[in-house]
Amino acid sequence: MKHICTLLLGLLMVMSSAVQAKIQAVWSTDAALPGEKVVLILLQEHLNTSNPSRFRFSTPGKVKNGRLYQGRNGNDNYFEESVQNAAGNTSGRIEGYLYVIEVGGSGLVECDDFEVTLSTGQKEIVSIPPLKVYTTAKVEWRNIETQKGENPSSFGTMWLVEPDEYYAGQPVHATLKLLLPQNFNRLEQDPQFYSQGITAGSFRSPLGGSVPGMVLQHAYPLRDRIVQARGQSWIVMDLEVDLIPQSSDKPAEGMYDAFVKLPALFLTSETITQTGAGFSFSSVTTKPTLKTLELPKLSLAAPRPLPPNPPADFSDLVGDFSISTSTDAKDLAMNEMVEVHITVKGTGCLEQLLCPQPQDAENWKLMPPTRQMINSPIGEPEAVVFSQLMRPSAEVSGIPSFSFSYFNASDEEYKTAASAPIGLPWRSTDAVGSGQVATASAAPPAGKVPVAEMTDIYHFLPNASEGGNGEGIRLAKEWWYLLYAPGALILLWLAGCALGKKWQAGAAKRGKDKLLAEVSAEKDNAAFLKKIGAFIESHLAGAQDPAVQAILNKRDAEVFRPDAQPYLSTEERNDMLKTVRKALSRVASLLLLLTLGLAYQANAEDAAMKAYSAGQYSKALELLQQEEKDGHADRDSGERQYNIGNCYYRLEEPGKAALYYARALQNTPNLAEAKANLGFIQRKEGAVLPNKKLADKIFTYLTAPQVWAAGIICSSLLLLSIALRLLLRERHKTGVRTAMGITATLSLLCVADYIYYATRTVPDITATPPADIAYITQATTARSAAIDTAGEVLELPPSTPVRILATRGQHRYVETFTGVRGWIPADAATALAPQGKTKKPFTITFE
């Protein structure tokens, strides 16, 4: 067994080493100048490996045409940093070494292989690519604009472009090397690019935005990157950009010429002189001055045109790509969302790639996809991941293949990248729309039937006079804590018993009702009967209890005779006192019921329901809105808003219907009709909704208010069980312990679920929505700017929930709960909280 474990451990270590990323050698620049100090970086990336083989130390090889500055041990120049994904979560670690090398003359800097020793004792040989060194004669010098009194100054530029030949749409990598004077401070903004036939990406520094780039900026800042030329020292800045030449049938002269301007700040000195009576004072101040550097023209050769007759799904991309898909779905069902992750890898302009389309798109309803760029350890895009929400509108055999076509420049032909289909079983589902219906009708597939041909899912909810629910008594959230009262009272009572045994004798007397204290203390039987009779006539005149009447009859028969000497035993006296106390409690309960009954006085009829039943939806809507304005208590406010949603639904305004269903859920969280109708409309209209994964569905089975209420109930029962265990001692020991175990387990589950709600990134948009939530009430288009002619970002169907981020004039800047942002007309969305009202606290309604 020992040998088998050793063998398995060895295999595991070999497999662990096999998954390690290959050690990569990267230069801090694509081109160097004589005498420039450049940085060589050895990189290794660990992507969530449980036992990575980490760097122990590195031994550099011999450098030709250059001089190595860092020590040979390599401990001081080691770095290790975490890598974060687009969501800000740690997804791996990058480690490596920095080596500063001063290059020699023009030619190539060549290094012998470096040797890296890993934590497992394994040695890795790393090959170093050569670095080309250009002569300073290739640098083109230009003057910097000067103001009056300033000394003339200049700067140097050098453009490097590869490849020499390319196709239209093929990215061209351009490197810009700048030699700036010592008074250079920083670039004020991104370089400005001008060209007729070239599209440019963002200018960036080599390794910019990556972990090695940030380490390089910290360990070897811009001020230390100096080169000698023209008899003085210059600050070296490297920039790179991807250029995409556009195709043209008849390219004009100069069409592929590019001009770049660099708005930069330079530190300039200014002398300030102050003179007075007999004195003169001068001071020199330094201030940043904005200057615009105009670079020499960059001329690209005209691109080679693409072959004719491209495929129908040609994506206008040139490069080499592969595509794969994955999903967490286990099966498919009609109108149920699934999320598909589409990963495209390759070389080319991945930033311009649109989400590939499925091959049988007619059988699917597609939501707007989200995208996430995946960068390499050195910050270069290497993949893009699309998250596509889709639902089948017909019975299909699984997730279809996603594909797109591109042009492969090396093979000089069009190719198609396609993913393998994912087979999933089909699960039959019940028709949407079960429940109380006015006319029986199965729910049609989403988007197939117009609103006018559809019927309500649930019938109109009547007011209290027609058998429905009135407004009831709404108790605030704080009243739920009264559930702890029984357990707390028992514990307090036990504590009081333990501390006050000496008071037990007088406890009964002190606990008597104050109103009967004088009566019960009377020793004389005749006087006792007179006083208790007078008490009944004063406080229980309306009570029709035979036992109370028997007390009065006994008093009349035995007290008012001249020779009366009534006899009452102790048991008879106690029974009379108990009868009076019970009668008092019944009178108090009756008064409470009469008081509550006043709140339920309803109208003679439910006019809104009659109008709705007669098909007069506009009139019913008007009556319900007037009820809401007047604050009538004869109908539950949540049910009223649900009915308003039904009216809007009948009037072919699904967006407003969804809005009022959502408002109904805010007033009555357990209103199943509103929840079902809201979900139905959103499925039918194709609303853009956040996708719920399996774990999210499990943890959100109860809404946040329901979890809070369940936690209060379970923990209060746990407290009561503990109190009963202490009170009953050995009696019912097994049952009380079982109750303690069950309530403790349920309480812990509620706490875990409540923590999940507190830490989740996607808010609960039905039970506890954010304060800035609104619903799209009119179909609209989200645009990239607050003008109606701006570019389209996303189509927003009615009933889509959004967050309002800003308002500008007649437009609002909104964000869907899938992360897409855009500008929409202000009247296309209505806030969930009307008239700026704050969200109501969680309440419970007693009907």
Side-chain angles (χ1 to χ4, degrees):
M1 185 66 184
K2 180 179 180 181
H3 297 291
I4 295 177
C5 293
T6 304
L7 178 61
L8 292 176
L9 181 61
L11 291 174
L12 182 62
M13 294 181 64
V14 171
M15 293 175 64
S16 176
S17 300
V19 300
Q20 296 297 314
K22 183 179 179 181
I23 299 176
Q24 183 180 6
V26 182
W27 293 98
S28 63
T29 182
D30 293 336
L33 294 174
E36 181 181 354
K37 293 179 181 178
V38 298
V39 178
L40 174 64
I41 307 175
L42 303 185
L43 287 177
Q44 181 176 220
E45 182 180 16
H46 307 293
L47 296 177
N48 291 332
T49 55
S50 58
N51 186 25
S53 298
R54 301 170 63 181
F55 282 159
R56 179 179 295 174
F57 58 85
S58 171
T59 303
K62 183 178 179 180
V63 180
K64 302 175 184 178
N65 193 27
R67 183 162 64 96
L68 181 65
Y69 267 67
Q70 293 289 353
R72 297 182 60 85
N73 189 21
N75 291 330
D76 296 336
N77 51 322
Y78 172 78
F79 69 91
E80 181 179 5
E81 298 287 341
S82 62
V83 180
Q84 294 182 337
N85 56 24
N89 301 318
T90 299
S91 60
R93 298 191 70 82
I94 285 182
E95 59 175 346
Y97 290 96
L98 298 179
Y99 292 96
V100 178
I101 297 176
E102 182 179 351
V103 303
S106 60
L108 294 177
V109 176
E110 298 177 314
C111 302
D112 293 342
D113 294 342
F114 281 44
E115 184 182 77
V116 176
T117 303
L118 303 176
S119 58
T120 59
Q122 179 183 355
K123 297 183 182 295
E124 292 285 344
I125 302 302
V126 183
S127 299
I128 310 300
L131 175 65
K132 190 169 184 179
V133 182
Y134 293 86
T135 177
T136 54
K138 193 173 179 62
V139 177
E140 184 173 348
W141 299 92
R142 304 196 68 139
N143 293 328
I144 301 176
E145 59 179 4
T146 58
Q147 298 178 359
K148 184 178 180 180
E150 289 184 355
N151 295 324
S153 181
S154 59
F155 69 99
T157 64
M158 184 174 68
W159 281 105
L160 300 174
V161 177
E162 59 179 11
D164 297 331
E165 293 187 357
Y166 39 81
Y167 285 91
Q170 180 179 355
V172 177
H173 185 74
T175 299
L176 173 62
K177 202 169 190 68
L178 295 171
L179 273 61
L180 302 168
Q182 290 291 325
N183 65 336
F184 170 75
N185 189 334
R186 68 176 188 274
L187 291 181
E188 177 66 10
Q189 54 183 297
D190 292 338
Q192 301 171 2
F193 187 88
Y194 305 93
S195 178
Q196 294 181 354
I198 303 174
T199 301
S202 300
F203 281 81
R204 59 189 182 276
S205 59
L207 308 177
S210 64
V211 171
M214 292 185 288
V215 174
L216 179 62
Q217 292 290 343
H218 177 73
Y220 193 46
L222 184 65
R223 286 286 165 189
D224 295 340
R225 304 173 193 176
I226 303 298
V227 70
Q228 300 291 328
R230 304 182 76 179
Q232 68 181 77
S233 298
W234 302 88
I235 298 175
V236 179
M237 174 181 285
D238 292 289
L239 297 173
E240 54 186 22
V241 64
D242 290 328
L243 307 177
I244 303 178
Q246 306 299 314
S247 60
S248 177
D249 297 335
K250 297 180 180 180
E253 183 178 355
M255 180 177 179
Y256 297 103
D257 292 342
F259 301 89
V260 178
K261 293 183 178 181
L262 298 176
L265 291 178
F266 291 85
L267 299 179
T268 58
S269 299
E270 181 180 0
T271 303
I272 300 176
T273 303
Q274 294 182 351
T275 59
F279 74 91
S280 177
F281 175 77
S282 298
S283 63
V284 179
T285 61
T286 302
K287 64 177 182 179
T289 303
L290 179 63
K291 299 179 182 296
T292 300
L293 307 182
E294 296 187 3
L295 272 59
K297 177 181 66 177
L298 172 64
S299 296
L300 298 183
R304 299 170 61 183
L306 297 177
N309 303 321
D313 60 345
F314 177 52
S315 57
D316 293 331
L317 293 181
V318 179
D320 190 11
F321 305 94
S322 64
I323 182 174
S324 61
T325 56
S326 63
T327 182
D328 294 333
K330 304 301 182 184
D331 52 25
L332 297 175
M334 186 70 69
N335 300 323
E336 288 193 10
M337 284 286 186
V338 296
E339 183 177 18
V340 181
H341 300 285
I342 308 162
T343 303
V344 180
K345 299 181 179 180
T347 57
C349 196
L350 289 170
E351 296 90 340
Q352 295 188 353
L353 177 65
L354 300 178
C355 183
Q357 296 297 303
Q359 291 186 352
D360 56 345
E362 66 276 2
N363 293 330
W364 295 85
K365 176 69 174 179
L366 304 179
M367 298 295 104
T370 60
R371 58 183 295 151
Q372 175 186 349
M373 294 300 304
I374 306 298
N375 295 328
S376 68
I378 59 175
E380 295 180 351
E382 63 178 10
V384 57
V385 179
F386 297 94
S387 294
Q388 175 69 71
L389 290 175
M390 52 195 303
R391 63 186 181 207
S393 56
E395 186 169 346
V396 294
S397 59
I399 304 296
S401 172
F402 287 77
S403 63
F404 68 96
S405 296
Y406 63 92
F407 182 76
N408 189 300
S410 58
D411 297 340
E412 298 185 347
E413 63 178 355
Y414 292 103
K415 292 185 176 182
T416 299
S419 66
I422 304 175
L424 293 176
W426 182 262
R427 172 171 53 87
S428 60
T429 55
D430 297 332
V432 179
S434 60
Q436 301 171 347
V437 293
T439 57
S441 175
K448 297 296 184 181
V449 180
V451 176
E453 299 179 15
M454 305 182 74
T455 60
D456 293 330
I457 307 172
Y458 288 90
H459 72 313
F460 191 94
L461 297 178
N463 63 10
S465 64
E466 299 289 343
N469 295 321
E471 184 64 26
I473 302 174
R474 292 184 175 269
L475 298 182
K477 181 178 182 180
E478 292 74 13
W479 286 90
W480 280 75
Y481 295 111
L482 291 177
L483 293 176
Y484 291 104
L489 290 176
I490 293 176
L491 292 177
L492 289 175
W493 183 80
L494 290 173
C497 290
L499 295 176
K501 291 183 179 180
K502 295 182 180 180
W503 293 76
Q504 291 180 359
K509 182 177 181 180
R510 290 191 299 270
K512 292 179 180 179
D513 193 342
K514 293 182 179 180
L515 296 176
L516 295 176
E518 184 179 351
V519 177
S520 61
E522 184 61 51
K523 300 298 182 181
D524 183 71
N525 292 333
F528 174 80
L529 287 173
K530 288 181 180 180
K531 289 184 177 181
I532 198 171
F535 180 86
I536 291 173
E537 290 173 344
S538 299
H539 300 283
L540 299 175
Q544 301 297 325
D545 192 338
V548 174
Q549 190 63 38
I551 296 174
L552 294 177
N553 294 338
K554 185 176 182 63
R555 180 202 63 174
D556 295 341
E558 299 186 10
V559 173
F560 297 110
R561 292 181 301 156
D563 57 343
Q565 291 182 351
Y567 171 78
L568 292 174
S569 65
T570 304
E571 291 77 7
E572 288 179 316
R573 292 168 65 96
N574 292 337
D575 289 342
M576 289 182 180
L577 291 172
K578 289 181 180 179
T579 300
V580 172
R581 288 192 178 97
K582 288 182 180 179
L584 280 175
S585 63
R586 284 195 293 270
V587 170
S589 301
L590 180 61
L591 290 175
L592 177 62
L593 292 175
L594 291 175
T595 303
L596 296 178
L598 295 176
Y600 287 93
Q601 292 181 356
N603 295 332
E605 61 179 3
D606 192 345
M609 184 176 69
K610 290 188 175 182
Y612 185 89
S613 301
Q616 300 173 350
Y617 307 121
S618 298
K619 182 179 179 181
L621 176 62
E622 181 180 353
L623 292 172
L624 290 169
Q625 289 176 337
Q626 187 63 37
E627 279 186 21
E628 189 172 32
K629 182 179 179 181
D630 297 340
H632 285 182
D634 58 339
R635 194 193 311 273
D636 178 75
S637 57
E639 295 183 355
R640 180 185 300 112
Q641 290 171 329
Y642 162 81
N643 289 334
I644 293 176
N646 275 359
C647 292
Y648 276 122
Y649 176 70
R650 282 293 196 174
L651 294 172
E652 300 184 9
E653 296 189 51
K656 291 184 178 180
L659 171 68
Y660 274 90
Y661 291 147
R663 289 179 176 175
L665 289 173
Q666 297 308 293
N667 286 277
T668 310
N670 297 326
L671 188 58
E673 294 91 337
K675 184 177 181 180
N677 282 17
L678 177 61
F680 177 79
I681 285 184
Q682 289 177 331
R683 287 192 296 271
K684 176 190 176 298
E685 297 298 328
V688 182
L689 300 172
N691 183 55
K692 283 188 176 182
K693 297 183 179 179
L694 179 61
D696 199 27
K697 292 179 180 179
I698 294 174
F699 278 98
T700 58
Y701 180 77
L702 295 179
T703 63
Q706 291 171 338
V707 171
W708 184 89
I712 294 293
I713 295 172
C714 294
S715 57
S716 63
L717 291 177
L718 175 60
L719 180 64
L720 181 60
S721 301
I722 296 173
L724 291 175
R725 178 70 181 89
L726 297 175
L727 176 66
L728 300 177
R729 298 181 183 274
E730 296 301 321
R731 290 175 296 169
H732 309 289
K733 179 179 178 181
T734 304
V736 174
R737 282 189 173 181
T738 303
M740 288 174 60
I742 294 174
T743 53
T745 303
L746 294 177
S747 298
L748 291 176
L749 290 175
C750 291
V751 170
D753 204 0
Y754 200 71
I755 293 175
Y756 174 81
Y757 269 107
T759 57
R760 71 194 299 245
T761 56
V762 179
D764 187 349
I765 59 178
T766 55
T768 55
D772 53 359
I773 188 175
Y775 277 80
I776 300 297
T777 53
Q778 303 175 17
T780 187
T781 302
R783 300 185 180 275
S784 58
I787 53 176
D788 295 335
T789 57
E792 297 182 359
V793 176
L794 177 67
E795 293 292 334
L796 294 178
S799 76
T800 297
V802 295
R803 300 185 70 167
I804 300 176
L805 303 180
T807 302
R808 181 185 299 171
Q810 298 300 317
H811 289 79
R812 287 176 173 174
Y813 191 50
V814 300
E815 179 184 29
T816 67
F817 286 91
T818 58
V820 182
R821 295 185 176 186
W823 291 92
I824 64 171
D827 57 357
T830 303
L832 178 63
Q835 301 175 357
K837 295 180 181 178
T838 56
K839 186 174 59 177
K840 294 184 178 180
F842 179 62
T843 59
I844 183 170
T845 303
F846 295 97
E847 305 297 350

